[in-house]
């Protein structure tokens, strides 16, 4: 089952089951996936069971919702400060070559970069036995819920950015229950948009390069993630595809298990605050930047993978310069 969040023509928020590529079935008496998750947690049922129990008897035109710009991310929070967006890198079996390409690194063992060392650590220890923690992955913070662009909306790039390029990834979505236990409610396809030119200048700029907008959805996949996911990432300019490449994800194509990535995020008490929402990106091995593509204002990103339904599309929009003023009182 897949869910979407959207607004009706009056601006009220709804959550709906995706019946097919053109039809949404709104749920009754529930306005968000977070609210549905709270119900499922309190009743001790799955998200699918909770959704089926509230399935309405009317339908909505999916294309019309999308065309009118009323799609929302698959998870939201009334207070964006309680929606944390994070991720891990160098988690996929092809990611080291892409990163090395980006950094123009020599991959010889004697001179390997920190990126290659991190990748090798993941290959050797990223899939531990059940119940045991493995090697920790690279980790980064992107921002709070305010950085998540709606599906179909512009994805903003700051005026000071040196680059703004896509990263096609899968994000897991979590809510923290009243006892402080993370509860995974589903998965979404995402664009973990980053500044690769800044990162290439110096790897210590990774934190700066990740403090950017991102996008995910529009659909939330409930249940387990397939172990093998095949998708396609495209870049459009003036309506024409200028770059296109398949990408692979799922545990079969990763150097870390999902359980290990989750452990090394939620081992911190900071991330187990009741009521919070988390979206955690799991990394990628496919970047247009690694193939020499330079994005420009107005380019459109498209990321799709069959298990996640409708493709995620966003247009790059460079923001106007904002003067930074500091007051002292």
């Amino acid at each position: 089952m897949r869910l979407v969040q959207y607004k009706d023509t009056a601006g009220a928020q709804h959550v709906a089951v995706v019946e097919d590529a053109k039809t949404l079935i709104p749920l009754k008496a529930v306005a968000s996936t977070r609210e549905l998750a709270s119900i499922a947690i309190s009743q001790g049922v799955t998200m699918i069971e909770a959704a089926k129990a509230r399935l309405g008897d009317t339908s909505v035109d999916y294309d019309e919702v999308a065309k009118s710009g009323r799609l929302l991310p698959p998870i939201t929070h009334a207070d964006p400060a309680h929606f944390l967006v994070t991720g891990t890198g160098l988690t996929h079996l092809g990611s080291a070559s892409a990163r090395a390409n980006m950094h123009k690194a020599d991959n010889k063992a004697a001179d390997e970069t920190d990126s290659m060392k991190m990748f090798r650590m993941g290959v050797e220890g990223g899939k531990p036995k059940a119940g045991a923690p493995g090697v920790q992955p690279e980790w980064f913070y992107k921002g709070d819920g305010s950085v998540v662009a709606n599906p179909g909306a512009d994805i903003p790039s700051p005026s000071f950015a040196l680059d703004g390029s896509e990263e096609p990834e899968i994000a897991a979505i979590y809510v923290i229950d009243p006892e402080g236990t993370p509860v995974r409610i589903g998965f979404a396809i995402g664009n973990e948009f980053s500044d690769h030119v800044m990162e290439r200048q110096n790897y210590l700029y990774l934190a700066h390069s990740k403090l950017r907008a991102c996008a995910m959805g529009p659909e939330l996949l409930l249940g387990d993630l397939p172990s093998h996911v095949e998708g396609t990432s495209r870049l459009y300019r003036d309506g024409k595809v200028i770059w296109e490449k398949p990408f692979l994800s799922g545990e079969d194509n990763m150097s870390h298990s999902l359980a290990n990535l989750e452990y090394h995020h939620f081992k911190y008490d900071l991330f187990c605050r009741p009521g919070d929402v988390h979206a955690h990106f799991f990394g990628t091995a496919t970047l247009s930047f690694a193939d020499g593509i330079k994005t420009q204002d107005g380019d459109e990103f498209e990321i799709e993978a069959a298990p996640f339904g409708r493709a995620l599309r966003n247009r790059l929009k460079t923001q106007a310069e904002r003067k930074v003023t500091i007051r002292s009182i």
Side-chain angles (χ1 to χ4, degrees):
M1 181 184 287
R2 299 190 303 272
L3 304 178
V4 298
Q5 294 193 126
Y6 70 97
K7 288 186 176 181
D8 62 24
T9 54
Q13 183 169 319
H14 301 269
V15 58
V17 170
V18 179
E19 183 175 66
D20 56 45
K22 295 184 176 295
T23 311
L24 301 176
I25 307 297
L27 301 186
K28 296 180 291 187
V30 61
S32 70
T33 52
R34 179 171 173 264
E35 183 182 355
L36 184 67
S38 295
I39 292 171
I41 290 169
S42 66
Q43 295 183 351
V45 299
T46 67
M47 288 286 286
I48 292 175
E49 291 169 334
K52 285 182 175 179
R54 287 156 184 79
L55 202 60
D57 51 12
T58 61
S59 64
V60 172
D61 187 310
Y62 198 170
D63 287 336
E64 179 58 33
V65 171
K67 289 177 182 177
S68 57
R70 292 187 279 121
L71 284 173
L72 297 172
I75 187 73
T76 49
H77 196 294
D79 181 357
H82 287 277
F83 179 179
L84 300 179
V85 185
T86 55
T88 58
L90 294 168
T91 54
H92 285 64
L93 296 176
S95 57
S97 59
R99 184 74 67 88
N101 220 11
M102 190 168 74
H103 292 158
K104 312 251 184 232
D106 182 347
N107 291 339
K108 293 179 181 178
D111 302 309
E112 66 180 4
T113 63
D114 285 342
S115 294
M116 185 58 70
K117 290 176 183 176
M118 182 73 74
F119 173 73
R120 293 188 192 282
M121 288 168 64
V123 170
E124 294 167 3
K127 292 185 174 180
K129 295 180 180 179
V135 66
Q136 61 185 0
E138 175 189 60
W139 182 95
F140 59 84
Y141 172 70
K142 281 201 70 68
D144 63 19
S146 65
V147 306
V148 182
N150 289 351
D154 289 342
I155 190 163
S157 182
S159 61
F160 55 79
L162 304 179
D163 169 57
S165 298
E166 86 300 326
E167 293 199 16
E169 304 189 15
I170 292 172
I173 311 299
Y174 309 85
V175 297
I176 311 302
D177 75 11
E179 284 69 50
T181 301
V183 179
R184 189 194 323 115
I185 66 170
F187 300 89
I189 202 73
N191 182 352
E192 196 273 288
F193 182 77
S194 300
D195 187 337
H196 300 104
V197 171
M198 180 177 291
E199 181 183 341
R200 186 172 63 180
Q201 286 184 337
N202 190 308
Y203 189 65
L204 295 179
Y205 282 156
L206 175 69
H208 288 283
S209 77
K210 295 298 186 182
L211 288 172
R212 297 290 185 271
C214 65
M216 60 188 76
E219 302 184 16
L220 179 68
L221 174 66
L222 305 184
D224 295 329
L225 180 70
S227 61
H228 176 78
V229 176
E230 297 182 20
T232 303
S233 182
R234 300 182 186 90
L235 184 63
Y236 292 82
R237 182 170 297 163
D238 299 325
K240 297 180 180 179
V241 176
I242 64 167
W243 178 86
E244 178 177 355
K245 201 165 189 177
F247 67 89
L248 300 175
S249 194
E251 284 195 343
D252 288 352
N253 303 294
M254 297 173 67
S255 53
H256 287 262
S257 65
L258 299 189
N260 192 52
L261 299 180
E262 290 176 328
Y263 168 79
H264 285 295
H265 179 66
F266 290 110
K267 67 184 181 184
Y268 295 102
D269 292 342
L270 171 66
F271 299 144
C272 296
R273 186 168 53 195
D276 279 5
V277 166
H278 289 251
H280 193 68
F281 285 98
F282 285 146
T284 188
T286 305
L287 312 170
S288 65
F289 182 83
D291 289 341
I293 300 296
K294 172 65 176 175
T295 60
Q296 62 186 45
D297 202 49
D299 286 351
E300 186 174 13
F301 307 108
E302 180 181 73
I303 299 170
E304 64 179 351
F308 299 94
R310 186 168 291 235
L312 174 64
R313 297 182 179 90
N314 296 93
R315 181 171 285 106
L316 176 62
K317 178 65 175 178
T318 303
Q319 295 176 304
E321 184 175 359
R322 178 181 65 84
K323 184 178 180 181
V324 177
T325 302
I326 310 300
R327 293 197 308 125
S328 178
I329 59 173

